[in-house]
Amino acid sequence: DTGVSQDPRHKITKRGQNVTFRCDPISEHNRLYWYRQTLGQGPEFLTYFQNEAQLEKSRLLSDRFSAERPKGSFSTLEIQRTEQGDSAMYLCASSLIQDGYTFGSGTRLTVV
Amino acid sequence: AQSVTQLDSQVPVFEEAPVELRCNYSSSVSVYLFWYVQYPNQGLQLLLKYLSGSTLVKGINGFEAEFNKSQTSFHLRKPSVHISDTAEYFCAVTSNYGQNFVFGPGTRLSVLP
């Protein structure tokens, strides 16, 4: 297994468009997390899944954001009607319960 | 709720010199502590973690950190840095191992020749 994969690495979109990011976790990891990182800041928690169940969502996750993890495998994060403030690096991480995070390389979103 | 403070936003240091990156946390419950490193345009890589036991934790790339409960600190140290250590370093805390982490704002370490 090559680790956590995120696709695409970079995305440039016009304001108001919808975007979707994909995360493929390490196969045996049952927990999957989404974080957002803006320039010069540490990552901020958005949401996490245990298997296919979404167990927690941050207040940062507005109604325009939705995340899914069908069948407890890969996950998608969709942002509808993007705004310039959504420009950030979106990081995915996975873990086993009682183990540490493994992060992907992230998807850098630029909204113009 | 937990919070993490990294007092130094930038730390310049000459190659082969020692370095300490400071991290303080706030929590009303027991915590687990982590240091991550992020190279440009990359995700975060785990350097080391404190879960329990010995308060001195050794990690990868020659880094170590010491957990000090009374001072609520978890400072990261390396006795001799290399140019390749230039990166952003994040301290993180969680109160329930495996749940979501709270990250500090990061410290940019610049190693100068």
Side-chain angles (χ1 to χ4, degrees):
Chain A
D1 192 281
T2 56
V4 178
S5 299
Q6 291 190 247
D7 183 69
R9 291 293 308 274
H10 304 275
K11 178 70 177 180
I12 299 174
T13 191
K14 291 183 178 180
R15 190 176 54 187
Q17 298 294 305
N18 299 344
V19 293
T20 300
F21 311 140
R22 177 180 170 120
C23 172
D24 287 89
I26 292 174
S27 56
E28 62 265 29
H29 284 185
N30 54 357
R31 287 191 175 184
L32 186 149
Y33 307 79
W34 285 99
Y35 281 78
R36 181 176 70 186
Q37 184 180 22
T38 52
L39 205 59
Q41 299 296 319
E44 297 173 294
F45 170 74
L46 292 178
T47 188
Y48 94 93
F49 294 82
Q50 182 165 318
N51 301 314
E52 67 274 12
Q54 188 173 17
L55 296 186
E56 188 172 349
K57 293 194 290 186
S58 161
R59 65 181 185 278
L60 293 175
L61 213 66
S62 75
D63 291 345
R64 296 183 298 105
F65 287 70
S66 63
E68 295 182 343
R69 192 183 183 195
K71 304 178 183 177
S73 55
F74 71 92
S75 176
T76 57
L77 178 68
E78 181 183 16
I79 309 174
Q80 296 182 326
R81 305 181 303 282
T82 51
E83 302 173 355
Q84 287 189 320
D86 297 331
S87 294
M89 175 80 89
Y90 289 84
L91 293 164
C92 177
S94 69
S95 74
L96 279 172
I97 296 177
Q98 303 304 315
D99 203 348
Y101 280 12
T102 300
F103 279 90
S105 297
T107 294
R108 182 169 295 283
L109 173 66
T110 303
V111 181
V112 298
Chain B
Q2 296 92 41
S3 66
V4 176
T5 303
Q6 292 182 248
L7 294 172
D8 306 302
S9 59
Q10 297 187 59
V11 173
V13 62
F14 287 107
E15 193 173 17
E16 297 183 7
V19 70
E20 179 178 82
L21 305 183
R22 296 181 290 172
C23 171
N24 289 87
Y25 67 92
S26 171
S27 177
S28 57
V29 298
S30 297
V31 295
Y32 304 107
L33 295 153
F34 303 79
W35 275 99
Y36 283 85
V37 60
Q38 186 176 34
Y39 300 101
N41 297 313
Q42 297 292 319
L44 281 73
Q45 180 183 5
L46 179 66
L47 276 178
L48 48 78
K49 58 189 175 186
Y50 171 78
L51 306 180
S52 64
S54 172
T55 56
L56 182 63
V57 179
K58 294 190 183 297
I60 63 172
N61 301 341
F63 285 93
E64 64 180 31
E66 185 154 21
F67 171 55
N68 187 320
K69 187 176 181 180
S70 63
Q71 304 213 349
T72 60
S73 67
F74 190 54
H75 301 331
L76 181 70
R77 295 191 290 260
K78 186 169 182 178
S80 175
V81 294
H82 302 288
I83 297 286
S84 59
D85 293 323
T86 295
E88 191 89 20
Y89 291 80
F90 293 96
C91 182
V93 62
T94 182
S95 63
N96 185 352
Y97 192 34
Q99 300 284 63
N100 57 289
F101 288 9
V102 174
F103 285 85
T107 296
R108 176 166 295 280
L109 174 64
S110 298
V111 181
L112 309 171

